[in-house]
Amino acid sequence: MSLIEPIATATPLLAGWTTTSLFYRRRLAAARRDPLTSLLTRDGWEKAALRRILRGNAAVAVIDLDGFKGVNDTFGHAAGDAVLKATGHRLHLWAGACNGTAGRLGGDEFALVLTADDFQAGIEQLHELLTAPVDWQGQHLAVGASIGAVPADGLTLSEALAHADQAMYEVKGNGGRRGPRRHQDATQGRPEVNR
């Protein structure tokens, strides 16, 4: 038996395995992306956020759209989808410019992880970007954005998300229009940034 026969026999099998492996890798990558916004899903974002937090000097932000339900109720779900797509695109661009990662946690709630310095410097720009009206079928759809952020150093991802979520709800409770401020988080003694 020559060496050519086993190679000739194995080649179609290897090609099939390679094709199948590539197919499943692409399916897995697609499953980690939100089909509407193309941002990472919660699972994919949490994995990326954990890697970023372990490098240090990270901030975690949670963003909730204010007035989103009113857009859905007034203009329908297609309009709401347009707002979510625009928000996803804007977050992706902003996070990319800051070497950060954006994700959609679900509904109209999003998350960011990036360098704490980059977030502090760009929070005003992010808020302006997210609250710019979305053009949809001749309508200018406007939503607000409540942003809660915390430095993540010394925190687990779960703790950072919980503190950022708490900060976001504090901002939302105050109308979502407050400028960034620093105060000490009473439970951790860490500076917290809100928008």
Side-chain angles (χ1 to χ4, degrees):
M1 180 165 161
S2 75
L3 184 61
I4 295 175
E5 289 176 19
I7 293 174
T9 304
T11 301
L13 290 174
L14 289 174
W17 289 334
T18 301
T19 302
T20 301
S21 175
L22 182 61
F23 171 77
Y24 283 114
R25 275 188 268 157
R26 285 184 179 164
R27 294 281 308 251
L28 183 60
R32 290 189 179 132
R33 294 265 172 205
D34 175 57
L36 184 62
T37 64
S38 297
L39 294 177
L40 292 171
T41 60
R42 177 183 281 273
D43 184 51
W45 180 82
E46 285 181 351
K47 288 177 180 163
L50 185 57
R51 286 190 302 270
R52 179 64 195 87
I53 288 171
L54 290 174
R55 290 195 321 244
N57 191 31
V60 171
V62 175
I63 301 149
D64 191 73
L65 300 181
D66 302 325
F68 178 74
K69 184 180 182 314
V71 169
N72 265 343
D73 291 349
T74 303
F75 299 102
H77 290 287
D81 286 351
V83 169
L84 292 174
K85 284 179 189 178
T87 301
H89 180 70
R90 293 168 180 179
L91 280 172
H92 174 74
L93 291 176
W94 191 84
C98 297
N99 198 25
T101 303
R104 182 177 178 203
L105 300 181
D108 64 335
E109 192 167 83
F110 299 87
L112 287 168
V113 63
L114 63 157
T115 311
D117 299 334
D118 288 338
F119 189 79
Q120 180 63 27
I123 192 169
E124 287 292 330
Q125 178 192 23
L126 175 62
H127 190 266
E128 288 177 23
L129 185 66
L130 294 178
T131 58
V134 175
D135 292 328
W136 179 77
Q137 296 185 354
Q139 300 288 328
H140 297 292
L141 307 175
V143 294
S146 293
I147 305 170
V150 295
D153 289 346
L155 299 176
T156 66
L157 177 58
S158 181
E159 290 169 337
L161 276 171
H163 289 301
D165 204 46
Q166 180 182 357
M168 182 272 299
Y169 277 109
E170 180 184 317
V171 171
K172 188 176 279 294
N174 290 320
R177 297 291 308 171
R178 188 177 58 216
R181 67 183 181 91
R182 284 187 171 274
H183 72 276
Q184 290 302 109
D185 178 359
T187 62
Q188 296 292 325
R190 290 181 170 77
E192 188 172 294
V193 181
N194 294 336
R195 174 75 177 124

